[in-house]
Amino acid sequence: MRTSWGSATDRGLVRRINEDALLAYPPVFLVADGMGGHAAGDVASRLAVEEFAQLAGRPVAEPDEVHACFRRTARRLRTVVEAGRTAGTTVAGVGVAAYDGAEYWLVFNIGDSRVYRLADGVLEQISVDHSVVQELIDAGQIAPEQADEHPERHVVTRAIATSGEPAPDYWLIPAGPGDRLLVCTDGLTIELSDARIHQVLAGVPDPQEAAEQLVAEAVAAGGRDNVSAVVVDVAAATPPSDMEATRPSRGPWTDEVDGATIPRSSLHRTEGSS
Ligand code: MN
């Protein structure tokens, strides 16, 4: 698969430092949103980028190698952050993957950064947030529209942290020739509606310009948090050879990964296409 991409990040208007970090180098595109303040959150997100950057230049991102990056990030975080200090980072992203001769996106997520896909004119959120507000939405206690203004909107329920093994979610989705993916931190999605994100992704052809415009609009809309975006376009892809293979698949490797789930949006897609 040939890809073209662009990326942008901004401290925003309120935070004193930028604790976000990003990686955009085939076969891996990701954002990391560090938590814990100076010399903790920024270190945590940078460690994630350093570990995943070891995959840069490979033809594909193998699932077990991606998972090893999560584990190495957690291990290094424990050694560099002072005892008693809380630090962690989200990681959300996509890797170029191959399975049975066809090309896929390996989508991975821990925390509340997000992966979206624009395909056939439809924008869908692939990742599912690990956040308190997502749990409240799932429980029917708040409406999705209330999430971005909720006082606990920044509270994540999973992250790469100084304690415990990281438990990211994974999805394997077929890569289409017209796909555009957006990987972003919550600083973008708390400021811009999905409808506005859709408009920019559909209206700005160049991925670098699209990433810059999304980040600039989020800052202009308030910039309450650090903002980061990576936009990835497929320049050429090998589609799956039969319909069965186009179903969202967890692949044979997810048995080794805790907490792997299928996104609700992909389940809808499966129902609609069968
Ligand atoms: Mn954030």
Side-chain angles (χ1 to χ4, degrees), residues 20 33 185-187 225-226:
D20 285 0
D33 181 343
T185 56
D186 67 327
D225 193 4
N226 308 144

Side-chain angles (χ1 to χ4, degrees), residues 15 24 38-39 45 56-57 59 63 83 98 102 134 143 153 157 175 182 187-188 208 210-211 215 219 223 227 274:
R15 302 292 176 92
H38 184 53
S45 59
Q134 183 65 50
R153 65 180 176 270
T157 52
L182 168 67
L188 185 79
Q208 179 62 33
V215 169
V219 174
V227 189
S274 60

